[in-house]
């Protein structure tokens, strides 16, 4: 991949696993300094080692809980202390309860809103002044669940539809400061986060039948899309949702 992000400082959340880890590896490969964070310090340290071994730059801020403004602020402050700027904020981390309306508890609902929606607002709030200075970019990880909704997705669809709406607001409010904002909607991607869903009998086969590209998504599919959106080649792109779903939404 072309080294197009030299000198950029990129904050990515959830770098201990799945899409966040793949994103950290790709952004580092493209020349960016990655400021990664996660609740899970052990797995994030592993990502740190992978990037160092590949000759890239990553600062590891973990464990950090992005459900609190203080956690988000610590993450952003670390980027400023180390590099003096923030060019890209990728709000990617999330955790959610997948339950039906009758089985989801109020506590599980609140947990999902906190860890899938509030952290997008809080991370953006903490980074906003620095993004205004750099005329930077916000990437939010949404989902195909933010284009529809199915059984067990009451909280997940609520948050991911909201993330897409928030992205429009960020693009509008950011425009005067030269900030772009986009969301990415992954289809079903093979990660620890989707293992339970994909492990249900017949789930993978049903998905493949609905998909125009007959395979499951990989974390690198999303990482490469994010690197493109952060590059100068995407300078005219803002306020959109970029679906990387193998045609699932068109066809499902
Ligand atoms: N995997 C999929 O099929 C899929 C599909 C569509 C959208 N997404 C979205 O992509 C993003 C990444 O998904 P993934 O499958 O890689 O997830 P994952 O579960 O593999 O990784 C998420 C990471 O976020 C961290 N995290 C969760 N809550 C946190 C908090 N409060 N503070 C700090 N870190 C926290 C977790 O520790 C974990 O390491 C999520 O926003 C998810 O909703 C995933």
């Amino acid at each position: 991949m072309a080294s197009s992000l030299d000198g950029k400082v990129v904050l990515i959340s959830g770098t201990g696993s799945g899409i966040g880890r793949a994103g950290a590896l790709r952004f580092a490969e493209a020349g960016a300094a990655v400021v990664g964070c996660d609740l899970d310090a052990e797995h994030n340290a592993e990502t740190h080692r992978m990037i160092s071994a590949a000759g890239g730059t990553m600062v590891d801020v973990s464990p950090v809980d992005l459900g609190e403004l203080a956690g988000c602020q610590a993450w952003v402050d670390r980027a400023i202390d180390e590099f003096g700027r923030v060019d890209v904020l990728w709000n990617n981390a999330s955790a959610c309860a997948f339950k039906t309306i009758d089985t989801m508890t109020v506590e599980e609902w609140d947990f999902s809103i906190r860890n899938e929606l509030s952290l997008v607002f809080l991370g953006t709030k903490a980074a906003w002044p620095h993004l205004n200075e750099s005329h930077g970019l916000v990437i939010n990880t949404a989902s195909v669940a933010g284009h529809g909704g199915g059984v067990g997705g009451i909280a997940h669809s609520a948050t991911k539809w909201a993330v897409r709406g928030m992205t429009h607001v960020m693009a509008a409010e950011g425009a005067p400061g030269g900030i772009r904002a986009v969301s990415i909607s992954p289809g079903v991607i093979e990660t620890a986060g989707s293992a339970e869903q994909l492990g249900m009998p017949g789930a993978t086969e049903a998905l493949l039948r609905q998909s125009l590209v007959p395979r499951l998504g990989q974390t690198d599919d999303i990482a490469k899309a994010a690197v493109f959106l952060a590059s100068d080649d995407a300078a005219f792109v803002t306020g959109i949702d970029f679906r990387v779903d193998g045609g699932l939404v068109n066809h499902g």
Side-chain angles (χ1 to χ4, degrees), residues 17 19 38-39 64-66 92 94 115 141-142 160 187 189 191:
S17 180
I19 292 169
D38 208 294
L39 261 181
V64 72
D65 181 1
L66 301 172
N92 169 74
S94 83
N115 291 297
T141 307
K160 294 303 188 178
I189 311 295
T191 69

Side-chain angles (χ1 to χ4, degrees), residues 66 69 72 75-76 89 91 118-128 131:
L66 301 172
L69 182 58
C72 293
W75 177 37
V76 171
L89 169 71
N91 293 306
S118 298
L119 45 62
V120 173
F121 167 65
L122 297 172
T124 306
K125 186 173 176 60
W128 200 247
L131 291 166

